């Protein structure tokens, strides 16, 4: 399976709960998965097989809903190459 990069931004909607605390629940799922990732101010970027990353993303959004969000907006960005892997390090390693 090729390695891809998947950026995920989960925007929780709640009238009573702190949005950052809800986002933390999604990040916890990603961290506990053991997959290579980088948290940024706008999204978390993961590296791995697409099927595995999509499953982690699904669990992350479910965690936000389970924590009390009434709704979530989920934005994905993926980089996929036909004949080679995609690496976070290739893009930002020099920084």
């Amino acid at each position: 399976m090729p390695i891809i990069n998947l950026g995920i931004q989960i925007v929780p909607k709640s009238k009573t709960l702190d949005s950052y605390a809800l986002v933390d629940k999604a990040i916890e799922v990603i961290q506990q998965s053991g997959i290579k990732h980088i948290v940024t101010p706008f999204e978390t970027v993961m590296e791995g097989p697409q099927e595995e990353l999509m499953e982690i993303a699904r669990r992350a959004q479910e965690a936000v809903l389970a924590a009390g969000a009434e709704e979530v907006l989920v934005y994905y960005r993926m980089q996929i190459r036909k004949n080679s892997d995609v690496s976070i390090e290739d893009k930002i390693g020099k920084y």
Side-chain angles (χ1 to χ4, degrees), residues 18-57:
D18 177 62
S19 294
Y20 290 124
L22 292 169
V23 170
D24 287 344
K25 297 298 182 184
I27 294 170
E28 285 175 19
V29 168
I30 295 167
Q31 289 174 327
Q32 291 171 1
S33 75
I35 202 83
K36 184 174 182 176
H37 68 281
I38 295 179
V39 177
T40 75
F42 293 103
E43 69 181 356
T44 298
V45 180
M46 300 183 285
E47 179 179 297
Q50 183 174 353
E51 294 79 15
E52 183 177 359
L53 299 184
M54 291 303 293
E55 174 59 23
I56 294 166

Side-chain angles (χ1 to χ4, degrees), residues 37-95:
H37 68 281
I38 295 179
V39 177
T40 75
F42 293 103
E43 69 181 356
T44 298
V45 180
M46 300 183 285
E47 179 179 297
Q50 183 174 353
E51 294 79 15
E52 183 177 359
L53 299 184
M54 291 303 293
E55 174 59 23
I56 294 166
R58 185 189 59 77
R59 290 195 323 258
Q61 70 191 36
E62 287 176 356
V64 174
L65 290 168
E70 289 111 27
E71 180 180 357
V72 292
L73 302 173
V74 183
Y75 302 95
Y76 297 107
R77 295 190 308 164
M78 292 188 270
Q79 182 180 2
I80 303 165
R81 289 194 185 123
K82 185 174 182 178
N83 295 314
S84 65
D85 293 339
V86 178
S87 162
I88 293 171
E89 183 67 23
D90 289 343
K91 289 187 267 239
I92 63 171
K94 65 183 176 183
Y95 303 107

